Amino acid sequence: MRLDKFLKVSRLIKRRTLAKEVSDQGRIEINGKEAKASSTVKVGDELTLRLGPRRITVKIERIQETTRKEEAAEMYTILKEERVGYSEEQND
């Protein structure tokens, strides 16, 4: 599945267009490598997202084309969530 679609379906990011923008800005990594919106994700991949002052690392548990809101969080496991200082964010 494409990265931008996974982010939307899993509700890590609410809109696919926003997921595409964030990806294309280099703020998402798959298994430690910078990823674009068209990158393919699979079960077992680790995603690191930099969203504002937060850095979230998740592991993909399952892939689904569509999901209900209540089930979306079952698609991934949060491994780490941290606040990133403003100066560190600027240097990235």
Side-chain angles (χ1 to χ4, degrees), residues 10-47:
S10 67
R11 291 176 171 79
L12 282 165
I13 296 180
K14 293 184 187 223
R15 294 187 322 273
R16 190 167 178 179
T17 53
L18 182 58
K20 182 180 181 334
E21 287 175 23
V22 171
S23 302
D24 291 343
Q25 291 172 357
R27 294 175 18 199
I28 299 180
E29 296 176 352
I30 300 174
N31 299 323
K33 296 182 181 176
E34 191 173 302
K36 296 294 181 193
S38 60
S39 299
T40 302
V41 296
K42 59 190 181 307
V43 173
D45 283 348
E46 284 189 15
L47 302 180

Side-chain angles (χ1 to χ4, degrees), residues 3-92:
L3 173 61
D4 57 346
K5 183 169 184 182
F6 175 81
L7 293 170
K8 181 208 175 276
V9 172
S10 67
R11 291 176 171 79
L12 282 165
I13 296 180
K14 293 184 187 223
R15 294 187 322 273
R16 190 167 178 179
T17 53
L18 182 58
K20 182 180 181 334
E21 287 175 23
V22 171
S23 302
D24 291 343
Q25 291 172 357
R27 294 175 18 199
I28 299 180
E29 296 176 352
I30 300 174
N31 299 323
K33 296 182 181 176
E34 191 173 302
K36 296 294 181 193
S38 60
S39 299
T40 302
V41 296
K42 59 190 181 307
V43 173
D45 283 348
E46 284 189 15
L47 302 180
T48 302
L49 299 86
R50 287 184 317 202
L51 303 171
R54 298 183 308 155
R55 182 175 295 158
I56 304 167
T57 303
V58 300
K59 180 178 180 183
I60 298 176
E61 299 294 341
R62 68 180 187 202
I63 303 281
Q64 293 178 245
E65 290 297 317
T66 60
T67 187
R68 294 193 333 240
K69 184 178 183 179
E70 301 81 32
E71 299 171 344
E74 297 172 8
M75 294 179 67
Y76 61 89
T77 301
I78 296 176
L79 301 176
K80 185 167 51 169
E81 188 169 356
E82 58 191 345
R83 294 189 67 77
V84 179
Y86 182 74
S87 61
E88 184 179 335
E89 182 73 20
Q90 290 294 331
N91 292 331
D92 286 345

